[in-house]
Amino acid sequence: MAVVFLLYVIAEFAAIWAVGSAVGVLGTIALLLAGAFVGSWLARREGGKAMRAFISTAQSGRNPEKELTDGMLIALGGVLIMIPGFVSDVVGLLLMLPPSRAVARKLWLRRAEKRAVRHANRARGPVMVVDSEIVDPDPHPSEKPHPVIEGRIIEG
């Protein structure tokens, strides 16, 4: 994780240096401020859309996992846009735009599902899910008494 953070910081410095060399110091500062203002406006707009979608989905009784994940990704994008730097602005902007957010949502939900299954397997052994229901396999099949059938024995 420390290596990823270090690479991120190096990429931010390189991007700021390149933009600063191309447009100057004041232009770079103006671009960073403009990115923050546009990003906050976009985050507010997309966040409102996600909240309205969540409310309508919850009121209709459907599962709002898509809307919740969109809201989380929009919030993350807003935070990234508020961090000074061009790399974080680009990633934040990608999380704000619906097409790229759909890709990020699929990746996030797939990762969350794998982690949930891994955690469940570690906590209580393998889990079987059928039609969104957890099927609890019989943990001790040999401890169950055998069924008793009442009746008479008739000798022939």
Side-chain angles (χ1 to χ4, degrees):
M1 190 68 174
V3 173
V4 172
F5 181 71
L6 180 64
L7 290 175
Y8 162 73
V9 170
I10 291 171
E12 283 289 5
F13 276 125
I16 290 173
W17 188 278
V19 171
S21 296
V23 297
V25 174
L26 292 178
T28 303
I29 292 172
L31 282 173
L32 288 171
L33 288 174
F37 283 119
V38 170
S40 64
W41 170 78
L42 191 59
R44 185 177 184 143
R45 190 186 84 176
E46 291 297 318
K49 284 182 184 178
M51 180 57 108
R52 287 188 293 280
F54 170 75
I55 289 172
S56 69
T57 303
Q59 286 176 343
S60 70
R62 292 178 293 155
N63 185 3
E65 92 178 356
K66 174 187 175 281
E67 289 77 11
L68 281 173
T69 307
D70 276 353
M72 179 207 58
L73 290 173
I74 289 167
L76 178 63
V79 168
L80 287 173
I81 286 176
M82 291 299 146
I83 295 172
F86 293 112
V87 175
S88 62
D89 284 353
V90 168
V91 174
L93 184 64
L94 287 174
L95 289 176
M96 294 287 180
L97 300 175
S100 56
R101 189 172 59 234
V103 172
R105 180 182 347 106
K106 286 179 186 176
L107 294 172
W108 180 265
L109 290 175
R110 187 178 306 138
R111 180 178 181 262
E113 182 180 342
K114 286 180 182 178
R115 289 187 66 169
V117 168
R118 190 178 324 126
H119 176 71
N121 287 343
R122 185 173 44 235
R124 63 179 199 162
V127 175
M128 184 186 318
V129 178
V130 177
D131 292 332
S132 301
E133 300 276 334
I134 295 177
V135 177
D136 192 17
D138 192 16
H140 307 289
S142 62
E143 294 180 9
K144 271 189 165 181
H146 295 290
V148 176
I149 301 174
E150 304 248 347
R152 305 185 314 215
I153 297 177
I154 302 177
E155 294 183 24

